Each structure stands twice: as structure tokens, then as C-alpha cells.
Amino acid sequence: MATKTKTKANAEIGDEGEDLVLATMVANGDDISPLVRHAFEMGRPEGLLRQLNYVVKKKEAEIEDMCKTHYEEFIKAVDELRGVLVDAEELKSDLQSGNFKLQQVGTNLLVNLEELFESYSIKQNVTEAIIMSKNCIEVLELCVKCNNHITDGQFYPAIKTLDLIQKRIPIIKWHIEKRVNSQVNEWMVHIRSSCKNIGQTAISRAVSDRQRDEELMERQRKAEDQNVVGVEERVYTLDVDEDDEDSAMKFDLTPLYRACHIYGCLGILEQFHVYYFTNRSAQLKSDLEISSSQSFVESYQTFLAQIVGYFIVEDRVLRTGGGLLVPDQVDNMWETAITRLTLLLNAQFSQMKSATNHLKVKEYVTLLSWSLLQYGYDIESLLDVVDNNRDKFHLLLMAECREQTIEALNHDTYELMVIKKESDYESNVLSFGLQTTDIMPAFPYVAPFSSMVPEMCQIVKSFIKSCVDYLSYGARDYFFDVVIRYLNNFLIEVINETLLNTINSSNISVSHAMQIAANFTSLERACDFFLKNAAQQSGIPLRFIDKSQMTLSAKAVLQTSRDATYITLLGLVNAEIDEYMNLTESVTLWTTEETKQNGNEYISELILYLDSLMSTAQQVLPLDAMYKVGIGALEHINNTIISAFLSDSVKRFNATSVMNIGVDLKLLENFADERFYSSGLEGMYKASSFRDCLVESKQLINLLSSSQPENFMNPVIREKNYYALDYKKVSTICDKFKDSADGIFGSLSNKNTKQTAKKKSMEVLKKRLKDFN
């Protein structure tokens, strides 16, 4: 007992020493990870935790002692902080009060300063007026003096006085010129600031004109599509006279007219012409510089409206300025503006990353062009810029629509869309021409496509509208062919490729492939709607489309992709069938002596899979596609059975295995017949049913089960009963048909004479097949 106590005490002393070591390492900031690793390697984490707890308690005690020691100093520091807070509040209040007083004083000073500036301006004007008045008084006095000299007959002094008067006249003229220039400069500043509003007003009028024209075209198009007879054709034109123009865009040219008159009276009108043209050209150069503080997308409307307003003003000056401007000068200014705008727009269009922004800028450029066309300006260069950048726009548009298409595909459930009410049917089916009948169905209605189809149709419809919006009011009046080209590209390169990429992905399932195949069919049907929608948007009568029997080339591409999808679908189905029919891997299947009345083990699961497959296909796919799936699956099963007999993995098989596979085929034939007739396919495909896909396997089993297999070499019997079998395949398969190691039908030959005869018949067939080969 004393020994145990001593051992326990020694352990505690050792632990305490370890605790001290750990505490020292923590206090010194040393890395304790080696201790932690060692503790876990030694399987003693509890001791380490106890040591850490010891260090924590020790540190807590130190903190507590320190707090007790400095408690009074801490309280004192808090009190001092409270005092500082009070002082800070007082300082804040003093600052607010001082700021208020400063604002009051500053406001009064600002008022006084403004009054001072105004007084100074008045003083300058008064000073100039006094100086000019003195000049005028002196001139008047000289005139009086000259008149007195003439009255007194003192003609020489009168002439000298006239010389003095003429020296005063240039000073007065200079002052008049200076005042007129000041007024003209003020007008130029004012008119420049007004140009933006003038341009915006003109563009707003252009928008209204365009909307009215579109409404008129829409009414005419509907009348033409409905074959309305006797509709009176009316041509609506915009009658704009000068009074209407002035009321729409008011700007005053009086200061300019007055200046022309004064300069004319002074005899220096040409000087004023040069002055006006030089200063307005400088303003134009400044207006053609884009703002660096804003992006072009944010500032283009103001920028372009300013240009429109500028040239509207110059057109008015040209027409009413009495020669202040000549046509060549206006043409030169317009050429300068066109050159700069062309470079600027090309650069901006090339840098744009958004089709929406591209379209907005294009719309405003065409509105600018339409507005200035009314004033006789040549706008072809601007329309060429729009036309030359259309491919860039459509690349951006296709990229944005591709993202939308992929998003629609990712959100799809790959299940048939269930439509519960008529309004949903109209928005998701009728609005895209996806209906298979003109009769309104009962609801809920199960559509033959998934939700991705109406979403993609809406994307295509939006794409068409954006294409037409870009091409409208451009360099070409007829652009329907361009719209069709872009539409075909979009359907092929975006819609078609996106679906094909999904089909060709490694993780596609049978149900997904089947639904995409059905969706291809619906999209192919929607191509007729896309074509007519593009025609309507482009102003082409629908009767032209119907008469020309025009179709989209993308429709054939979608059809080809649909067929490719069926091939992929059949490949997926065949792969799953192969998982059920691992015939070559089962040795017992070929050598069993057990007769299976219900067929081999795989057959029940295979038929269940086929039943599920055909049920889904009947629900999702059209009947012709469902027929292809059924034919493809059963043909693959037939080929799999034949391939299994021919496989090098199957060295031999016996009569029992043949009998069991015959049962399998009988079950498959029953399933094939039931599916073929219950689906209503007999009326469409009378020449070839599902059962016919299994005929090669069935004839092979019949031949191997026949008591007289040598009849296969009889042309009449072969043509009647074995027409689907190939000589070489039959020869290879017959070589493997053995019941025991001692030869063909060895185990059966000992049972009865009939089997012996069958054995001999098979040997004859085998020999004749070898001779034939």
C-alpha cells in the first residue's frame, strides 16, 4: 500500500513537471505541435488535455491577479474617458455653433459678393457708356462747330472740323462692332446649349413618324393577308411647313439677323460671315468629342441629339440667313461631322459586348439619320456604318441567345409538359404553331414536348424581332433574305447544336434522349411559324410565303438531327439491353440439362424493360418514332442471340439450351405482337411487324430443333422456312451443337431412334454445308 502511494505521488510530481514545461513553452510563444503529435502517437491525449487545462487555469489566475492589482487604475482610466467624452460633446456643440455662425456670415458675404460683381459689371458698362457718350458729345460739338463755320462761310475751318469728326467715327464703329459681337457670342452659347433639346425634339418626332408608318403598314399587311377587297389605299405623308417646324422646335435667330444687318451697314458683312462660320465650326468640333467621364452607352443619346440640333440650326441659318452661310460651307461641316461620326461609331460598335446596347445605339443612329434626312442631309454613310456592323451585332445576339438556350435546357425536367388551362395552351402551343390539330384539347393536356420547347421558341421569336429591329430603317429597304439567313444560322448553330451536344454527352439517359428526339420533332414543326413570323416582322405578306412554298433550310437540319438522335437513342437502348442479355458470359445457359418452362432468367427482366421502354416511347414519341425504337430494340435482341451462337466464347451448346432460348423467343414474340397491335401500328406498317425482327433467331431455333435439319439444303424448304438464315452462320453454329463429348447429339442418341435419326440428319447437314462452303 505504501508503495502504491509513493508511485502515485511520483506520477503526480512528473505530471506537474510536464505541466510546467508546457506552461513555459506557451509563455515563450514556442511551437507546441511536437508535444501534441507526440501525445497522440503515444496514445496519451488525455494527459495533454490535462496539461493544457492546467496552463489555462494558471493563465486565468495570472489575469485575475493582474486585474486585482490594477483595478483602481482601470476604474480611474474609465472615469477619465467619460470626462473626455463630455469634453468631446462640448467641442462638437461648439463646432456646430461656430459652423452655423460661419454659414450665416458667409451667406451674407456671398450675397454681398454677388452684388459687388453686379455693381462692378454695371460700373464697367456705365464707364463704357460715359466714354462713348463723351465721344458722341465731342462729335456733336464738332458737328455744331462745323455747321457754324459753314454758316459763317468759313469753309476751310469747316473742312478741318470734318476731318476731326471722321477720326472719331472708327472708334464709334469699333464699339458698335464689339457690342454686336458680344450679343452674337451670347446667342452662340445659348443656341449651343439648346441644340440638345432641338435634336431630342426632332428625334421624338421621328419616333412618332416611324410608329405611325409601322401602324399603317401593319393595317395594310393584315388587310392583304385577309384578302380584303375594296380597301381604299391611302398614302399618309408628313406635311411640315415652317410654322409647324418653328412651333415644334423654337429657337430665335433674331440676334443673328440683327448682327447681319449691322455688319452690312458697317460695310463689313463678309467679315461677319467668316466670324460666324469659324466660331460655329469650332463649336461643331467640340460637339463631336465624346465625354470621357461617361461611357458611350450612357452618353450617346445626348451626344447624337446635340449633332442633330446643330445641323437643324445650320439648315435654318442657310435658308433664312440671307447668305450668312452658303451650301458648300454647310456641306463641308456635314462632311466633317460624317467622317468623325463614322470613325467613332465603327470604333464603339467594335468594342461593344452587349447586343442590347448595340441595338439601342443603332436605333438612335437611324433616328438621327431619319431626322436629318428631312432637311436634305446625305445620310448614306451613317446607314452604311449600321449595315457594315450587322454581322457583329448578330454574333453578339447569337451569343446571348445561346446562353438563354443552354439555361432553358438546364432547367428542363425532360418530362412531357402538362398544360392545365386554355390560356397556357394558347401561350405555349398555339402561339408557336406547335399544335398537331386545330381542335382545342381537353384539359389537363399533355403536350408532346417538354418545357424547353416553348422556351426555345420564345427565344427564337425574340431573336427574329431583334434581327428585324436592327435591319429596319437601314441601308436596305428589302432585308427579308438577310433575316432568313440569320434565322437559319441561329436555328442550326445554336438551337440544333445545343441539343446535339446534349445528346452526344456521355451522361445522357434513354429517357432524356427520347424526350430530346420528341422535342426535335416539335421544333421542326415550329419552323413554319418562325418563317411566317419573320415574314410578318419584315413586312412580307403571308400569301407570298404560301405561294412560294418557301421553307427554312434549318428545318431539314433539325430533321437530320432528330434522326441522329434516334440513332443515339437506339444505341443507348441497345447498351441497356446488353446489360440484361450477357448470353456469352453464362456457361450454364448453353450446357444446362434443365428445361425452363418460363425461359431463362434474363428474359423476364428484359421484357419488363422493353415494356417500360415502349410505354414511354408511346407516350413521348410519334408513332413512327415509336415503331423505330421497337424495331431497333428487337432487331438488336435478334442480333445478340445470333451473335451469341457465333461467339468464340460459346464453344458448344446442347438441345436443352436451344429449347430454353426458344421459350425466350416465344415470350418475346408474344410481347412484340401485343405491343404492335395495341399501339395501332398494324394500319401503318402492314408489311413488317415487331415479330418480324426476331425471324432470324426464330428460324435458327426451329432449324436446331428440327428432326430433319438437312432440309435446310432443300431450296424450296429453305425459301419457305429458313429464308432469313445465312449458310456460313448456320455452318458455324451447327459445329457447336453437341450434347456430349462423344459427338453430335451424343447424349440424346442413346434414348430413342428418333433422336438418332435427328443426329444423322444434323451430320448430313453439317457435311453438306461444308461442301457448300
Side-chain angles (χ1 to χ4, degrees), residues 493-513:
E493 296 178 13
V494 176
I495 300 295
N496 183 68
E497 285 189 7
T498 301
L499 291 175
L500 282 182
N501 289 339
T502 303
I503 282 294
N504 296 328
S505 62
S506 58
N507 58 348
I508 188 73
S509 65
V510 170
S511 61
H512 286 190

Side-chain angles (χ1 to χ4, degrees), residues 696-739:
E696 183 181 10
S697 297
K698 184 65 176 179
Q699 290 181 3
L700 177 63
I701 296 301
N702 290 341
L703 175 62
L704 296 176
S705 303
S706 172
S707 59
Q708 295 180 321
E710 76 276 8
N711 287 341
F712 176 76
M713 301 306 296
N714 186 317
V716 176
I717 296 176
R718 184 174 67 253
E719 183 65 26
K720 179 180 180 182
N721 298 330
Y722 306 114
Y723 56 86
L725 297 179
D726 178 75
Y727 280 101
K728 292 183 179 181
K729 291 181 181 179
V730 171
S731 176
T732 302
I733 293 171
C734 286
D735 286 340
K736 299 180 181 182
F737 193 8
K738 301 175 183 179
D739 268 1

Side-chain angles (χ1 to χ4, degrees), residues 63-81:
I63 293 171
E64 186 175 354
D65 292 340
M66 185 176 293
C67 289
K68 289 178 180 179
T69 303
H70 301 285
Y71 174 74
E72 293 182 358
E73 295 179 1
F74 177 75
I75 296 298
K76 184 178 180 180
V78 171
D79 291 339
E80 290 178 353
L81 284 175

Side-chain angles (χ1 to χ4, degrees), residues 71-334:
Y71 174 74
E72 293 182 358
E73 295 179 1
F74 177 75
I75 296 298
K76 184 178 180 180
V78 171
D79 291 339
E80 290 178 353
L81 284 175
R82 288 177 178 175
V84 171
L85 181 61
V86 173
D87 294 340
E89 290 293 333
E90 291 178 356
L91 180 59
K92 180 180 178 181
S93 177
D94 292 342
L95 287 173
Q96 289 176 342
S97 176
N99 180 63
F100 177 73
K101 293 177 180 178
L102 180 62
Q103 292 295 330
Q104 284 184 324
V105 174
T107 302
N108 294 332
L109 288 175
L110 286 175
V111 172
N112 293 335
L113 183 61
E114 290 176 358
E115 292 176 352
L116 179 61
F117 284 145
E118 184 177 357
S119 300
Y120 180 75
S121 178
I122 293 173
K123 178 186 176 183
Q124 281 187 321
N125 293 335
V126 169
T127 302
E128 290 182 3
I130 291 172
I131 294 173
M132 185 52 55
S133 298
K134 288 180 178 180
N135 288 329
C136 292
I137 291 172
E138 290 177 0
V139 171
L140 288 174
E141 289 176 349
L142 289 172
C143 289
V144 172
K145 187 176 181 181
C146 181
N147 188 53
N148 291 334
H149 286 315
I150 294 173
T151 303
D152 296 339
Q154 297 176 353
F155 299 113
Y156 180 76
I159 293 173
K160 290 296 183 179
T161 305
L162 284 175
D163 290 339
L164 292 174
I165 293 173
Q166 289 176 350
K167 289 179 181 180
R168 293 289 184 179
I169 289 175
I171 298 175
I172 297 174
K173 286 185 176 181
W174 175 82
H175 180 76
I176 294 172
E177 182 182 346
K178 181 180 178 183
R179 292 297 301 273
V180 171
N181 284 349
S182 176
Q183 293 176 1
V184 170
N185 290 339
E186 289 178 2
W187 177 85
M188 285 187 179
V189 172
H190 170 73
I191 202 65
R192 185 184 183 190
S193 63
S194 302
C195 280
K196 181 184 71 174
N197 295 331
I198 295 170
Q200 289 174 341
T201 302
I203 289 174
S204 297
R205 280 176 37 187
V207 172
S208 300
D209 295 345
R210 180 179 293 185
Q211 290 175 346
R212 187 194 55 213
D213 291 343
E214 290 176 350
E215 291 172 0
L216 175 60
M217 291 176 60
E218 182 64 23
R219 289 197 298 269
Q220 291 177 341
R221 186 162 56 244
K222 287 182 178 179
E224 291 172 353
D225 291 339
Q226 296 171 1
N227 294 322
V228 176
V229 180
V231 176
E232 181 183 359
E233 294 186 1
R234 292 180 181 156
V235 178
Y236 294 86
T237 59
L238 178 62
D239 296 326
V240 180
D241 57 26
E242 190 170 334
D243 293 337
D244 292 335
E245 187 180 7
D246 289 339
S247 62
M249 294 171 293
K250 296 179 181 179
F251 55 94
D252 186 14
L253 295 180
T254 302
L256 206 58
Y257 299 150
R258 183 187 301 117
C260 286
H261 178 67
I262 297 300
Y263 268 84
C265 294
L266 293 174
I268 52 174
L269 183 58
E270 187 62 31
Q271 178 182 328
F272 180 68
H273 289 179
V274 174
Y275 178 83
Y276 177 83
F277 179 74
T278 303
N279 282 274
R280 285 294 282 165
S281 298
Q283 285 187 338
L284 175 61
K285 183 178 179 181
S286 177
D287 290 342
L288 289 171
E289 297 295 329
I290 60 175
S291 172
S292 59
S293 60
Q294 284 183 307
S295 67
F296 184 74
V297 173
E298 296 173 333
S299 62
Y300 73 91
Q301 291 188 357
T302 302
F303 171 76
L304 296 177
Q306 183 75 20
I307 303 303
V308 173
Y310 178 93
F311 282 100
I312 289 176
V313 171
E314 295 312 298
D315 175 75
R316 182 83 63 81
V317 172
L318 175 65
R319 290 187 290 110
T320 65
L324 179 57
L325 283 178
V326 296
D328 287 345
Q329 289 177 315
V330 176
D331 291 343
N332 288 336
M333 288 191 292
W334 177 242

Side-chain angles (χ1 to χ4, degrees), residues 286-519:
S286 177
D287 290 342
L288 289 171
E289 297 295 329
I290 60 175
S291 172
S292 59
S293 60
Q294 284 183 307
S295 67
F296 184 74
V297 173
E298 296 173 333
S299 62
Y300 73 91
Q301 291 188 357
T302 302
F303 171 76
L304 296 177
Q306 183 75 20
I307 303 303
V308 173
Y310 178 93
F311 282 100
I312 289 176
V313 171
E314 295 312 298
D315 175 75
R316 182 83 63 81
V317 172
L318 175 65
R319 290 187 290 110
T320 65
L324 179 57
L325 283 178
V326 296
D328 287 345
Q329 289 177 315
V330 176
D331 291 343
N332 288 336
M333 288 191 292
W334 177 242
E335 187 63 32
T336 300
I338 282 292
T339 302
R340 172 60 180 159
L341 284 174
T342 300
L343 294 174
L344 175 65
L345 290 173
N346 279 324
Q348 293 297 328
F349 280 143
S350 66
Q351 296 172 9
M352 286 184 183
K353 306 298 182 183
S354 168
T356 302
N357 291 337
H358 203 297
L359 182 59
K360 287 180 179 179
V361 175
K362 173 266 166 188
E363 282 292 312
Y364 219 76
V365 170
T366 56
L367 287 172
L368 175 150
S369 303
W370 177 262
S371 300
L372 292 180
L373 181 63
Q374 312 306 310
Y375 296 90
Y377 292 101
D378 183 6
I379 60 171
E380 289 301 319
S381 297
L382 287 176
L383 297 182
D384 287 341
V385 171
V386 171
D387 195 53
N388 293 337
N389 283 278
R390 70 186 186 192
D391 288 340
K392 165 71 174 178
F393 166 75
H394 284 93
L395 287 175
L396 293 174
L397 182 61
M398 287 181 66
E400 292 181 2
C401 291
R402 186 189 300 275
E403 293 179 1
Q404 297 172 12
T405 302
I406 294 174
E407 184 177 357
L409 191 63
N410 291 337
H411 291 164
D412 194 63
T413 59
Y414 294 92
E415 296 176 355
L416 294 177
M417 191 174 182
V418 179
I419 300 176
K420 298 181 179 180
K421 52 186 179 180
E422 184 175 344
S423 60
D424 291 341
Y425 182 80
E426 292 177 353
S427 61
N428 291 291
V429 180
L430 294 180
S431 60
F432 303 117
L434 296 172
Q435 67 274 17
T436 55
T437 176
D438 294 334
I439 302 174
M440 184 66 69
F443 297 98
Y445 167 73
V446 180
F449 50 78
S450 62
S451 61
M452 77 169 72
V453 171
E455 289 186 26
M456 288 184 177
C457 288
Q458 184 59 49
I459 294 171
V460 176
K461 187 176 180 181
S462 174
F463 177 85
I464 293 171
K465 185 178 186 308
S466 296
C467 286
V468 173
D469 287 344
Y470 190 88
L471 294 170
S472 298
Y473 304 99
R476 301 176 52 165
D477 293 331
Y478 182 81
F479 52 83
F480 179 57
D481 55 339
V482 182
V483 174
I484 294 303
R485 176 160 61 87
Y486 284 128
L487 176 57
N488 278 318
N489 289 344
F490 177 69
L491 290 173
I492 294 171
E493 296 178 13
V494 176
I495 300 295
N496 183 68
E497 285 189 7
T498 301
L499 291 175
L500 282 182
N501 289 339
T502 303
I503 282 294
N504 296 328
S505 62
S506 58
N507 58 348
I508 188 73
S509 65
V510 170
S511 61
H512 286 190
M514 193 177 295
Q515 187 61 66
I516 291 178
N519 291 347

